[in-house]
Amino acid sequence: MGIGGHQLPHVQRGSSPVRVIAIDGPAGSGKSTVARAVAARLGLAYLDTGAMYRAVTFAAIRRGIDPSDAEPVARLAEDIDIDVADKVTVDGVDATIEIRSPEVTRAVSAVAANPAVRHELVVRQRQWAEAHGGGVVEGRDIGTVVFPNADVKVYLTADDSERATRRSKEMLDMHYDQVAADIARRDHIDSTRAASPMAVADDAVHIDSTGRGIEEVVEDVLALVAK
Ligand code: DC
């Protein structure tokens, strides 16, 4: 399998693939909260791959590199050390708060559309899974590209206004209209880009979280895992 013409290694542990629960979906669908809760309930590690794209974007802005300048951003992605756990650090600098800033949020789609950045981060995501013996991994291309053999694949959605309402509660310095417009713009870029666009894997289970509590959705995912 390749991304942008690059070959990627398959994740193998011994002779069998590691156990991965893939949770994909657009911004504000509840992915992060659900993925984190599922990981905690199952005692599995959790990886937020969106935070990795945000970390590269943060590093570019910090070094004065235009996030849409493909070559230098690709080189940067290969060079920097990114640690995504409870805290997100970039070359040892705590960027947990900054990666959620409106400035990073505005620029991250351009970085995520860069095929060489995607290649680098996908390699790191597979290495992470191997090092942790699998886990719950959330993003946009986890079930389609990063772990096409994931044990469970969920595509989580919610209707547009509910997604914007949820995000505006997190982005206190932005008005609802701005948040809604930003989500619509990112959805468009993320789903129409050439390199692994956000898509529903053929074998993913589609869960709509509109009007539903997190616990209910978590129970749905746990029931899929139990199957
Ligand atoms: O989930 P998030 O909003 O933190 O993601 C930030 C951006 O990164 C978003 O615009 C989509 C992109 N992304 C991606 O292209 N592939 C992933 N696996 C995860 C995120």
Side-chain angles (χ1 to χ4, degrees):
M1 179 185 43
I3 291 180
H6 302 275
Q7 287 301 312
L8 289 163
H10 284 283
V11 173
Q12 295 284 320
R13 167 162 280 242
S15 57
S16 61
V18 294
R19 190 180 152 94
V20 168
I21 298 169
I23 304 192
D24 288 301
S29 58
K31 270 190 330 288
S32 298
T33 317
V34 169
R36 202 175 275 121
V38 168
R41 291 277 292 271
L42 296 174
L44 295 174
Y46 157 69
L47 180 64
D48 172 2
T49 62
M52 298 173 77
Y53 290 94
R54 288 174 179 273
V56 175
T57 309
F58 163 80
I61 293 170
R62 204 155 174 264
R63 294 188 191 192
I65 299 171
D66 178 350
S68 54
D69 203 350
E71 283 250 336
V73 175
R75 253 179 289 139
L76 180 69
E78 285 160 17
D79 289 346
I80 57 174
D81 187 43
I82 302 171
D83 188 47
V84 173
D86 286 343
K87 287 197 174 306
V88 176
T89 59
V90 181
D91 282 336
V93 174
D94 186 344
T96 314
I97 307 284
E98 286 90 338
I99 63 160
R100 309 283 163 200
S101 69
E103 192 183 11
V104 169
T105 300
R106 259 194 307 276
V108 67
S109 288
V111 172
N114 183 325
V117 172
R118 300 201 71 82
H119 176 263
E120 174 63 26
L121 296 189
V122 169
V123 168
R124 294 188 191 205
Q125 289 153 18
R126 291 178 176 171
Q127 286 167 345
W128 176 93
E130 201 154 12
H132 289 82
V136 181
V137 185
E138 65 132 310
R140 303 290 192 291
D141 60 340
I142 308 304
T144 50
V145 173
V146 188
F147 299 109
N149 299 322
D151 300 82
V152 174
K153 297 182 188 178
V154 171
Y155 192 84
L156 194 59
T157 51
D159 72 24
D160 292 357
S161 66
E162 185 152 332
R163 293 196 291 125
T165 303
R166 287 177 188 166
R167 271 291 151 105
S168 40
K169 285 183 188 149
E170 296 162 13
M171 312 281 289
L172 295 176
D173 46 356
M174 279 170 83
H175 291 296
Y176 173 89
D177 289 349
Q178 281 176 291
V179 174
D182 180 67
I183 287 182
R185 183 187 62 83
R186 283 204 293 143
D187 281 355
H188 178 72
I189 300 175
D190 293 339
S191 53
T192 56
R193 67 182 175 223
S196 2
M198 173 167 74
V200 190
D202 291 341
D203 49 351
V205 176
H206 197 147
I207 299 179
D208 186 343
S209 68
T210 310
R212 301 184 68 212
I214 290 298
E215 249 332 291
E216 276 179 74
V217 179
V218 169
E219 290 301 332
D220 283 357
V221 178
L222 292 173
L224 291 172
V225 175
K227 266 204 239 166

